[in-house]
Amino acid sequence: MIKVSIKDRQGQVHEVEAPTDMNFNMMEICKANELPVKGTCGGTASCASCHMYVLSDTALPNASEDEEDMLDSAFFVEDNSRLGCQVYLANHMDGLEVELAPEDESADY
Amino acid sequence: MIETDILIIGAGPVGLFTVFEAGLIKLRCHLIDSLGQPGGQLTEIYPKKPIYDIPGYPKILAGDLVDNLMEQIAPFDPGFTLGERADSVEKDNYGKWIVTTNKGTQHKASVIAIAGGLGVFEPRKPPLAGLEHFEDKGIDYIVKEPEKFRGKNVVLAGGGDSALDWSIELSEIANRVTLVHRREQFRAALDSVEKAFDLANTGKMDIFTNAQVTGLGGNGKLNSVTITNKAKEQRDLDTDYFIPLFGLSPKLGPLASWGLGLQGNAIKVNPLDYSTNVDGIYAIGDINDYPGKLKLILCGFHEATLMVQSAFKRIYPDRHLSFKYTTVNGVNSF
């Protein structure tokens, strides 16, 4: 179990616990905690609805070509942009901090 | 007027399988989908991705699952209204439902099964201040009539095929086309990318990479966009039009105003038969909600199966429904 913090689009920070033995990704953790992340494609890096910024300097595997391609459909992409569904949680990621990226304002969750 | 027994809204996997289960009890089906092809998000978003939790298939590509479902339901000859969105619903004098699409096509049915998944696919809109204010006043999400852009300045944003293809096509008729993309790599077809850069090198188009549109300007009508590059340098670019091309995303859409009980963006149903609060309208698959709901294709298949039994009793209250296994004579005897 590790702790991660998620800043929502209103700036509120949510500290949540996340197991590392179930191959969870950050999209799933957000949804499990009822944070407004859509995850339309079910975590296959085929939509851009779980776009988030990584705020901490946690070491993460680089984004794949598929993930980079899909980030083209995200808004306000920065160097620290990731698709949450491609960030799989591991023990060394304790203290990971992310911020949900701006979404289509009329998006449903 | 198209007439059927069960009008299915949404031609994703659950909508398609409903045709099979309805066919087994001799109920005819017609499907409406806003997309131009059946399959819903499996076809639109991830046709080449494997799915691992379809019973009997250790692994199947989403597109192949849709092809298989189409083959499986073919004996029951379903009708399709594709590329049209189910907009409004009303009841006629005989208690049947009339559903009209955004293009005016009318459908009559005894029962409606909403299998709308996450909703209707619509263009993703960038969260820019004032965006809605400029819609149809300089901002378009799809290019319907290229002629409209003749002699105008047009800014497009995106890195996929539609962004590249439209930039190339509009560069021939617009005064000035500017393509803005967040990185140097494009995911569009290689020959389109090469063609666009050729046009840029000969001064017929501008391509700004490592840049994004971050602001809109104008008074009543769009007249400029703000472009910010990776170094956070900003520049305003005069333009008549801005066309953001960031793909499609599902929205609940017109169904939200059909008088159905909602739970968030899902339709509340009775888990006994997946009926909604409106008699004769059912909701199955990802679009419904009930205690313990799981948004899985296999659960949607189960819901469709039970739903059509309830629909039969509603359509033929006096008839006895006898259950028949497909193993006895195959599907051709149904």
Side-chain angles (χ1 to χ4, degrees):
Chain A
M1 196 72 90
I2 59 171
K3 281 192 173 140
V4 299
S5 84
I6 303 154
K7 189 192 272 190
D8 66 24
R9 296 187 188 96
Q10 282 71 46
Q12 193 185 336
V13 175
H14 306 259
E15 303 272 356
V16 304
E17 291 202 321
T20 53
D21 57 349
M22 293 174 71
N23 213 23
F24 275 125
N25 62 52
M26 278 307 291
M27 178 273 287
E28 292 172 306
I29 295 299
C30 289
K31 285 181 81 90
N33 287 280
E34 297 186 341
L35 289 162
V37 168
K38 246 181 170 177
T40 305
C41 75
T44 61
S46 302
C47 69
S49 65
C50 61
H51 176 205
M52 49 187 73
Y53 305 116
V54 177
L55 304 180
S56 54
D57 56 5
T58 313
L60 300 175
N62 288 334
S64 68
E65 195 63 25
D66 276 358
E67 184 181 346
E68 283 291 348
D69 281 353
M70 217 51 241
L71 278 167
D72 286 352
S73 299
F75 308 118
F76 305 125
V77 178
E78 301 290 344
D79 287 341
N80 60 345
S81 283
R82 294 299 299 258
L83 294 181
C85 72
Q86 300 302 298
V87 177
Y88 284 89
L89 296 176
N91 285 327
H92 75 271
M93 290 152 96
D94 190 33
L96 175 70
E97 294 170 31
V98 301
E99 177 179 0
L100 303 185
E103 246 301 335
D104 185 334
E105 281 178 24
S106 54
D108 300 328
Y109 291 99
Chain B
M1 178 90 71
I2 293 163
E3 287 199 50
T4 190
D5 294 321
I6 302 181
L7 182 64
I8 302 165
I9 296 171
V14 173
L16 294 176
F17 191 65
T18 305
V19 176
F20 181 86
E21 289 295 339
L24 295 185
I25 51 175
K26 294 202 186 306
L27 296 178
R28 296 292 152 206
C29 295
H30 188 94
L31 299 102
I32 302 178
D33 201 295
S34 65
L35 296 171
Q37 73 284 325
Q41 57 172 296
L42 278 68
T43 316
E44 184 64 26
I45 300 188
Y46 53 93
K48 298 291 175 199
K49 298 281 180 177
I51 304 174
Y52 298 94
D53 60 353
I54 304 298
Y57 289 96
K59 176 179 173 181
I60 183 166
L61 297 183
D64 291 346
L65 178 63
V66 172
D67 290 345
N68 286 358
L69 284 162
M70 289 297 283
E71 184 185 334
Q72 190 171 24
I73 66 175
F76 303 111
D77 197 24
F80 287 92
T81 300
L82 296 175
E84 299 186 28
R85 186 185 65 209
D87 264 10
S88 63
V89 64
E90 59 191 317
K91 238 180 196 168
D92 72 5
N93 293 335
Y94 304 95
K96 293 212 172 183
W97 295 109
I98 310 285
V99 172
T100 307
T101 69
N102 59 326
K103 293 189 181 160
T105 311
Q106 291 201 305
H107 307 74
K108 186 192 283 193
S110 307
V111 161
I112 295 172
I114 300 173
L118 295 170
V120 179
F121 279 84
E122 292 182 357
R124 276 167 55 80
K125 301 177 179 182
L128 297 169
L131 184 90
E132 291 189 359
H133 183 61
F134 292 119
E135 286 178 351
D136 298 322
K137 294 180 183 122
I139 292 185
D140 285 325
Y141 302 105
I142 38 175
V143 180
K144 281 184 194 150
E145 294 185 29
E147 271 305 309
K148 159 178 175 180
F149 303 101
R150 182 170 293 279
K152 304 290 187 184
N153 294 323
V154 184
V155 174
L156 299 98
D161 284 310
S162 51
L164 269 292
D165 293 349
W166 282 119
S167 296
I168 293 165
E169 185 163 337
L170 294 180
S171 72
E172 288 171 23
I173 54 175
N175 177 55
R176 196 77 204 155
V177 165
T178 307
L179 174 61
V180 182
H181 181 46
R182 70 166 188 101
R183 58 179 178 146
E184 281 169 20
Q185 297 79 23
F186 287 82
R187 67 185 190 284
L190 194 58
D191 57 334
S192 315
V193 177
E194 281 176 0
K195 191 164 183 193
F197 275 93
D198 285 346
L199 289 167
N201 290 333
T202 52
K204 290 175 180 140
M205 186 199 294
D206 289 316
I207 300 180
F208 292 156
T209 54
N210 293 322
Q212 297 175 81
V213 172
T214 53
L216 306 168
N219 190 357
K221 191 188 174 319
L222 184 76
N223 60 28
S224 71
V225 294
T226 304
I227 297 173
T228 306
N229 69 10
K230 271 204 161 170
K232 300 289 170 206
E233 295 160 343
Q234 295 194 335
R235 78 162 91 176
D236 289 343
L237 196 67
D238 287 347
T239 192
D240 301 302
Y241 289 101
F242 172 45
I243 308 174
L245 295 167
F246 290 96
L248 301 173
S249 161
K251 304 250 160 61
L252 191 54
L255 292 176
S257 54
W258 282 22
L260 303 164
L262 300 178
Q263 174 75 42
N265 285 294
I267 299 168
K268 280 196 280 189
V269 293
N270 179 343
L272 282 179
D273 60 359
Y274 310 103
S275 53
T276 68
N277 61 321
V278 179
D279 188 32
I281 300 184
Y282 297 80
I284 50 176
D286 282 1
I287 203 158
N288 77 12
D289 195 38
Y290 53 87
K293 168 71 182 178
L294 280 181
K295 290 188 182 185
L296 295 175
I297 292 171
L298 80 98
C299 297
F301 288 166
H302 166 80
E303 292 165 15
T305 308
L306 297 188
M307 181 277 289
V308 298
Q309 302 283 317
S310 172
F312 184 95
K313 287 175 201 141
R314 189 179 184 282
I315 297 171
Y316 302 114
D318 302 326
R319 277 198 218 169
H320 176 67
L321 175 61
S322 53
F323 183 80
K324 195 163 157 56
Y325 288 101
T326 53
T327 39
V328 179
N329 288 313
V331 297
N332 291 327
S333 63
F334 284 91

